[in-house]
Amino acid sequence: IPAGTTDVSVELMNPEENEVYFQISFYLPDTDETIYTSDLIRPGQHLYDITLEREMEAGEYPLTVKYATFTADEAMAPQDGADVRCTLIVRQQG
């Protein structure tokens, strides 16, 4: 992602065949900080532009992408989730 901005382009999606809603969060384990949490993403929905909680400086950061799932009915009951560990690469634009 670009350094010095909160508006970033990504592709987050919930596959159409899923029968649950997703909520996706970006968590920085080194600082115990969540820098993004999506609204609920319905099956088949894509997000392409998101707004982070804060600007990031150029560098590489350990990142956990947290997937929380909820039933796609009126109860919206929490279901299983998953954590994906990766590296967030922030580059200076120039």
Side-chain angles (χ1 to χ4, degrees):
I1 65 170
T5 183
T6 57
D7 297 322
V8 297
S9 295
V10 297
E11 182 177 9
L12 304 175
M13 67 167 294
N14 185 352
E16 193 165 336
E17 62 273 9
N18 279 348
E19 296 181 3
V20 294
Y21 284 88
F22 278 2
Q23 184 175 51
I24 301 173
S25 299
F26 294 171
Y27 173 76
L28 300 172
D30 286 355
T31 60
D32 196 32
E33 179 181 12
T34 299
I35 59 169
Y36 173 74
T37 302
S38 73
D39 291 331
L40 293 178
I41 304 169
R42 70 182 180 281
Q45 182 181 7
H46 295 247
L47 299 179
Y48 295 105
D49 297 301
I50 65 171
T51 302
L52 301 178
E53 295 290 325
R54 68 173 177 90
E55 296 177 0
M56 301 294 296
E57 294 182 18
E60 294 189 8
Y61 303 86
L63 179 74
T64 302
V65 180
K66 295 179 167 278
Y67 290 84
T69 61
F70 301 87
T71 57
D73 57 18
E74 291 181 14
M76 302 295 290
Q79 300 296 297
D80 293 336
D83 289 353
V84 178
R85 290 178 182 83
C86 54
T87 300
L88 176 63
I89 300 171
V90 182
R91 294 202 171 118
Q92 201 64 38
Q93 297 299 310

